[in-house]
Amino acid sequence: MDMFEQKRCKSMMTRAEAEFIMKKEVPERAFWIVDCFCNNYNRLQDVLDVLYNTLPGNDYSVSYLASQKGTRLVIFCQRQQQAASTKSVNKGRTLEHRRLNEPKGIFLKGSLEDLIDSTRFIILGVQFVYKECICGQYCFTCQLCQGDCEVERVNASTMFTHLRSVVHNKKYMAS
C-alpha cells in the first residue's frame, strides 16, 4: 500500500462529507478559530486527506498559528516547503538577477496581494490580516488592530492603507 492509499484509509470521512464541510463550514470564520469549545484540527485534516492528499504530489497538513488575538488553524503544503528547501529546484533553469523588492506581478490587479507586491514601502504584520469572501467579494480584517480601529471587513485598498499606517506599525512593533 503506497503513502496515498494509507492516507485515504486513515480517514473515515467520505468524499461527500468532505465536500460538504469544504463548501459549508470551511469558509466560515469560526471554523478556523481554536478555543476550548471548538477545535476543527482533525476535521480539517480529514477534509484535506480525502479531497487533496489522495492525489499524487499533494501533501497538505493542518497546524496551529498562535497570535495575540488567539490561536487559528493554518494549512501548510509540506511538499512545497520541501521542494523550496532543496538545491535542485533550479536545475536546468538559468537564474535571473532581480532586486529583492522587485514586484512579481503575479497577483490579480487591485487585490491586496498585488498592492503589497507592487509597493516600495515595507509592509509589516501581514500575517495578522484575515481574508474572507462574503457574497463573492473579498474583505479583510486586521486581527492585530481590530479592537483599536475600524479594520474589520474592509476592502483591499482600505486594508493596504491601514497596513502602511503609523497605528498599525507601532502596534506591530510593540507586539
Side-chain angles (χ1 to χ4, degrees):
M1 185 180 296
D2 71 2
M3 179 178 68
F4 300 109
E5 288 178 282
Q6 289 172 357
K7 284 184 180 180
R8 199 176 308 133
C9 293
K10 182 175 73 171
S11 173
M12 300 302 287
M13 185 178 289
T14 67
R15 184 164 189 81
E17 290 170 326
E19 288 171 349
F20 176 81
I21 292 169
M22 182 60 90
K23 184 177 182 182
K24 297 291 184 183
E25 296 179 29
V26 170
E28 297 297 322
R29 182 177 184 181
F31 183 88
W32 298 89
I33 297 172
V34 176
D35 59 29
C36 58
F37 302 109
C38 178
N39 184 353
N40 289 313
Y41 180 95
N42 290 327
R43 291 184 77 206
L44 183 56
Q45 187 63 60
D46 286 347
V47 168
L48 293 174
D49 289 343
V50 170
L51 297 179
Y52 303 104
N53 289 340
T54 54
L55 303 171
N58 288 349
D59 191 10
Y60 296 102
S61 66
V62 178
S63 188
Y64 296 103
L65 177 67
S67 72
Q68 288 179 332
K69 298 291 183 176
T71 304
R72 297 185 162 279
L73 295 175
V74 292
I75 299 173
F76 287 103
C77 177
Q78 300 301 330
R79 192 124 178 132
Q80 187 70 15
Q81 289 175 349
Q82 180 184 26
S85 66
T86 62
K87 292 184 178 183
S88 64
V89 171
N90 290 315
K91 231 179 203 175
R93 288 193 263 163
T94 58
L95 297 176
E96 298 176 27
H97 176 71
R98 291 178 38 188
R99 292 190 334 257
L100 181 61
N101 61 346
E102 184 177 325
K104 293 168 192 65
I106 59 173
F107 302 105
L108 184 64
K109 197 73 173 155
S111 67
L112 181 60
E113 296 86 350
D114 178 56
L115 294 170
I116 292 170
D117 181 50
S118 59
T119 188
R120 59 182 178 87
F121 297 102
I122 295 172
I123 304 295
L124 300 174
V126 176
Q127 69 270 28
F128 293 103
V129 176
Y130 182 76
K131 182 178 182 179
E132 296 178 89
C133 184
I134 299 175
C135 299
Q137 297 293 320
Y138 287 110
C139 58
F140 304 88
T141 300
C142 179
Q143 298 291 313
L144 180 65
C145 304
Q146 186 175 2
D148 297 337
C149 51
E150 294 296 319
V151 287
E152 189 168 342
R153 294 187 171 165
V154 297
N155 64 25
S157 176
T158 304
M159 182 53 67
F160 180 68
T161 302
H162 168 72
L163 290 172
R164 292 182 42 214
S165 72
V166 173
V167 172
H168 174 79
N169 285 290
K170 278 186 177 179
K171 188 143 186 148
Y172 176 79
M173 295 306 283
S175 65

